[in-house]
Amino acid sequence: MSSNNNQIINAFSLKSIQPKENNAYCSFISLYRAYHSPQKYQENTNQDFFKIEKVFLSHFNIGIFETYDFLYGYCHSDDEFKQWITDKMGKKAYLEAVEKFNSWYVGMVDCSDQTFSKILNADQLEFWDKNGYLRIPGLVNEDDCNRVIGVITEMLGLNLKQPSSWYGQHDLLQGIMLQLYQNEHIAKIKNSDSIRQVFEQLYQTDAIIANTEKLGYNPPETDSFNFRGSPLHWDIDFSTGIKYHIQGLVYLNDVPEERGALSLIPGFQHEINSFLQMYAHPDHAIDVLRQQNRQIAVAGNKGDLILWLETLPHAATANRSNHPRFVQYISFTKL
């Protein structure tokens, strides 16, 4: 890695950016854009960088893929980057986010508040500790689910009464992942008090922030359309090590097993370290797990919140029903 890139990475130290007025935000924007310059890019393994990046994206409600697309393809200055974010959010929301981001810098080194909500019961916590996943039924109401389904159908041009309309292409649809982030109905579920309370209890702190996450659209397979999701996998950056990180989604419609339900290997958090030691690379380990077929399907109903530890191999499954599967992904970052 070049000395220039080392300087950029070192600049992301939690204590390096001084939180005076807007200086923290402005300094961060310059450093972040410099790091993601197409001419200077190097793979980064600095933990401060990953944390600050997640919190930045969360505060400004922008997705990582759309941000990278703009930085690497279109952005030529700090001012252009700021204006792009402003256009995404609106001026008022942007200024509020700048203030919150700077406030986070003031207190981020001492986020030691361990108060948190206790919404889960003893049986649910025991199940979580044993299996590493949990289904919390009916946490999101039907109307809120239907509104986000409406956002997806409008964006993709779907008519749920006309299956022929379910298989079109869209630039924001990557496999079964829809990279759509800025919408009031998406935000309502993302910022749900009930969902936040569950994450607070499992992280055992209220010092968390909702990540900017994607949506999911998985239509039924046909003779001419095959499932476009990923096989069993981990979403772990093994170069930085395994963490206690919780992934999640909300089923926006009823999802029986055959409707592309999430699949995972229960309890694998207890054996991942010993299992990985048996193989030269995590890719080899996951190939073996795919062959062993140990995963189960986690069916659920509209409004259910499904959570799992990142250490559990998981994947969506092929939809063999007569209706699409709709989900909204949910996760939080500890501050």
Side-chain angles (χ1 to χ4, degrees), residues 2 92 135 142 213 281:
S2 69
K92 181 180 178 181
R135 179 177 72 90
E142 183 174 344
E213 286 279 15
H281 193 277

Side-chain angles (χ1 to χ4, degrees), residues 41-315:
Y41 177 76
Q42 296 284 344
E43 185 177 358
N44 185 16
T45 59
N46 181 278
Q47 290 305 291
D48 287 345
F49 175 90
F50 291 122
K51 178 172 182 176
I52 298 173
E53 179 177 50
K54 279 189 173 183
V55 175
F56 164 68
L57 296 172
S58 298
H59 273 300
F60 290 89
N61 194 33
I62 49 179
I64 193 168
F65 291 108
E66 63 180 352
T67 301
Y68 286 1
D69 180 66
F70 180 73
L71 288 175
Y72 287 109
Y74 306 98
C75 185
H76 301 98
S77 70
D78 293 354
D79 287 340
E80 283 187 2
F81 191 24
K82 294 174 187 176
Q83 188 60 52
W84 177 80
I85 300 171
T86 303
D87 292 342
K88 287 281 184 182
M89 302 184 69
K91 185 72 172 182
K92 181 180 178 181
Y94 171 78
L95 293 175
E96 291 174 350
V98 169
E99 182 177 353
K100 289 179 181 178
F101 185 77
N102 282 306
S103 295
W104 174 68
Y105 263 103
V106 172
M108 66 181 173
V109 178
D110 185 27
C111 288
S112 56
D113 186 359
Q114 296 301 307
T115 62
F116 54 89
S117 303
K118 296 182 179 179
I119 190 173
L120 301 174
N121 61 39
D123 289 340
Q124 289 173 313
L125 292 174
E126 181 180 1
F127 187 93
W128 172 258
D129 290 340
K130 177 181 178 180
N131 296 289
Y133 81 96
L134 190 63
R135 179 177 72 90
I136 302 100
L139 209 61
V140 178
N141 70 55
E142 183 174 344
D143 288 342
D144 289 340
C145 291
N146 288 340
R147 290 186 185 102
V148 177
I149 290 176
V151 171
I152 297 173
T153 57
E154 181 178 358
M155 175 62 67
L156 298 181
L158 311 177
N159 184 334
L160 294 182
K161 296 181 179 180
Q162 294 181 0
S164 61
S165 71
W166 297 351
Y167 302 97
Q169 301 296 313
H170 196 284
D171 290 342
L172 297 182
L173 186 62
Q174 301 172 353
I176 63 171
M177 305 300 183
L178 181 60
Q179 307 296 338
L180 178 64
Y181 311 101
Q182 294 84 26
N183 179 275
E184 62 178 325
H185 303 310
I186 297 172
K188 186 174 182 182
I189 292 179
K190 169 186 171 182
N191 297 319
S192 159
D193 288 340
S194 296
I195 290 177
R196 181 184 179 88
Q197 287 168 4
V198 172
F199 277 89
E200 284 183 2
Q201 187 168 4
L202 294 178
Y203 277 127
Q204 297 195 13
T205 178
D206 64 355
I208 60 174
I209 186 171
N211 295 322
T212 305
E213 286 279 15
K214 54 200 170 291
L215 303 173
Y217 171 68
N218 184 3
E221 286 193 314
T222 68
D223 292 340
S224 58
F225 179 86
N226 295 321
F227 174 59
R228 293 182 176 174
S230 302
L232 198 71
H233 64 279
W234 287 292
D235 296 308
I236 298 175
D237 182 352
F238 287 99
S239 68
T240 62
I242 296 171
K243 304 175 185 64
Y244 183 83
H245 177 67
I246 302 168
Q247 300 177 257
L249 59 80
V250 173
Y251 283 148
L252 300 175
N253 59 333
D254 291 343
V255 181
E257 288 189 13
E258 69 273 13
R259 188 167 289 156
L262 174 75
S263 66
L264 49 76
I265 301 180
F268 200 80
Q269 76 274 20
H270 301 301
E271 60 175 295
I272 184 170
N273 290 322
S274 59
F275 192 85
L276 288 172
Q277 290 175 3
M278 299 166 58
Y279 302 93
H281 193 277
D283 289 348
H284 301 157
I286 200 68
D287 284 341
V288 171
L289 289 172
R290 290 168 184 164
Q291 296 170 14
Q292 290 179 349
N293 198 31
R294 295 167 54 187
Q295 64 270 26
I296 65 166
V298 183
N301 298 316
K302 176 181 287 193
D304 290 358
L305 175 66
I306 315 295
L307 302 178
W308 66 97
L309 289 170
E310 72 168 8
T311 44
L312 270 57
H314 62 278

